[in-house]
Amino acid sequence: MLRLSRRGAAALLAGSGLAGLLPRAAFAQASYPNQPIRLIVPFSAGTSDTIARLVGQGMSKALGQPVVVENRAGAGGNIGSEACARATPDGYTFCLGTISSHAINPSIYPSLPYNVQKDFAPITQLAAQPNALAVTNNFPARSIPELIAYLKAKPGETSFATSGVGTSVHLAGSLFAQMTGTTIEHIPYRGSGQVTTALLTGEVPMAFDNLSSVLPFHKEGKLRILGVTSKERNAAAPEIPAIADSVPGFESLSWHGFFAPAAVPPAIIARLHQEAVAALKAPQVATRLSELGITAVGSTPDDFRSFVAAETTRWGEVARKAQIRIE
């Protein structure tokens, strides 16, 4: 009996004029990928871009096609995320999503141009990173318990800086205030670099920021990190306590993951998932992420979908209590 490979069968059918009877998607998936793939990052340079490029480079080698990063920043990640949701669902466009773009924004933007649950096919959660509560060197509180006591003694007199309204670090600060019964004024800046500068110059007394952004300055003795927002200490800075040690149950992780347009075929989602997870496990990627205090995850698409839904509910409640809305 003659046995033909999928490629051979396709060639035979094409030559006999019967190819038109088979779905085009079958041929497209069999040869996927046969052209460069676009990876939309809805933010400019920073942690999100670094993670996307590290994993994307590893995927390029395995897929045999370039994974080209396209930065489309703006509106808290909404512009790039919308572009991803509206892209042709052929597997040649996918995007990086974060806690901001895919869990917080649905609650703080009254007219979000995409639906996180309906417009995207989750691929995998790539990584999670704690935020950090940092203060100036001359700030009187030198621990989380001392900080809470200080804030309660002087309600509303202390401010905290973040990289913007509605960001994960803004919500981390709001959650901290809610769980400790304190009042802290929020001062938003345009980015993490400006937050660090404001802290180093004493323009603000404290800030919530990604651990990777402030850790180098902590190690150089230019500012002090009082606590990390993971439930446990971070391997990149084991000397820094977790805020949860003093505020039981407190946790605020910035996370990143890959999403594709909702109608991308499951077989292509599976391939992208496979190569993304493999790239995460590559020694050079794992080492670099660890140096930044970032934990690689590599969840399944179904697990990632459930995780995003739970995060959306959780941070929506925090945002509502803090009355955070962006009109």
Side-chain angles (χ1 to χ4, degrees):
M1 180 182 292
L2 178 63
R3 297 184 182 272
L4 293 176
S5 67
R6 182 181 296 180
R7 180 176 298 177
L12 179 61
L13 288 169
S16 65
L18 298 177
L21 298 179
L22 293 181
R24 292 183 180 180
F27 290 105
Q29 291 179 48
S31 59
Y32 177 85
N34 57 21
Q35 66 187 55
I37 301 171
R38 180 175 60 149
L39 169 53
I40 297 175
V41 177
F43 304 97
S44 54
T47 302
S48 298
D49 183 71
T50 297
I51 293 173
R53 291 179 185 275
L54 279 172
V55 178
Q57 288 171 4
M59 293 177 70
S60 294
K61 297 177 182 177
L63 292 168
Q65 291 289 342
V67 174
V68 182
V69 172
E70 177 183 323
N71 296 94
R72 298 193 66 171
N78 293 349
I79 293 176
S81 298
E82 181 184 14
C84 179
R86 304 289 176 254
T88 303
D90 56 5
Y92 289 99
T93 297
F94 69 109
C95 61
L96 183 85
T98 69
I99 181 176
S100 294
S101 62
H102 283 68
I104 294 174
N105 288 1
S107 296
I108 65 174
Y109 284 88
S111 56
L112 199 67
Y114 53 87
N115 183 300
V116 171
Q117 298 299 319
K118 295 180 180 180
D119 293 340
F120 295 93
I123 298 172
T124 186
Q125 182 186 351
L126 297 168
Q129 175 188 203
N131 298 310
L133 196 171
V135 299
T136 59
N137 279 332
N138 61 358
F139 193 76
R142 306 192 70 82
S143 67
I144 295 298
E146 288 184 10
L147 173 63
I148 295 171
Y150 179 87
L151 294 174
K152 287 185 175 181
K154 299 184 177 183
E157 295 184 22
T158 305
S159 58
F160 73 98
T162 73
S163 54
V165 175
T167 58
S168 65
V169 284
H170 181 192
L171 272 289
S174 297
L175 179 63
F176 180 81
Q178 290 171 14
M179 293 185 69
T180 58
T182 57
T183 303
I184 325 170
E185 181 186 2
H186 176 231
I187 300 180
Y189 285 81
R190 286 184 172 272
S192 182
Q194 290 187 7
V195 171
T196 305
T197 299
L199 201 57
L200 293 173
T201 59
E203 186 176 309
V204 292
M206 60 182 285
F208 277 87
D209 206 348
N210 291 151
L211 176 62
S212 59
S213 298
V214 293
L215 185 57
F217 300 98
H218 169 84
K219 290 185 174 181
E220 293 171 5
K222 295 180 179 179
L223 52 76
R224 288 182 289 117
I225 297 177
L226 298 185
V228 294
T229 63
S230 49
K231 289 184 177 179
E232 299 177 349
R233 299 188 182 214
N234 189 274
E239 75 282 2
I240 302 173
I243 294 175
D245 292 345
S246 304
V247 186
F250 182 89
E251 183 180 34
S252 170
L253 302 179
S254 292
W255 52 260
H256 300 77
F258 281 155
F259 296 84
V264 170
I268 291 180
I269 295 296
R271 180 72 191 282
L272 292 172
H273 170 266
Q274 173 186 321
E275 305 308 348
V277 173
L280 274 176
K281 293 180 179 179
Q284 65 272 23
V285 174
T287 299
R288 180 57 180 149
L289 293 179
S290 179
E291 291 172 348
L292 294 172
I294 298 171
T295 301
V297 179
S299 59
T300 67
D302 285 343
D303 284 346
F304 190 30
R305 182 183 296 279
S306 298
F307 173 78
V308 172
E311 284 283 276
T312 302
T313 299
R314 180 186 183 218
W315 292 110
E317 293 175 355
V318 174
R320 282 189 289 274
K321 287 181 181 179
Q323 298 183 339
I324 300 172
R325 296 284 283 178
I326 298 178
E327 301 297 336

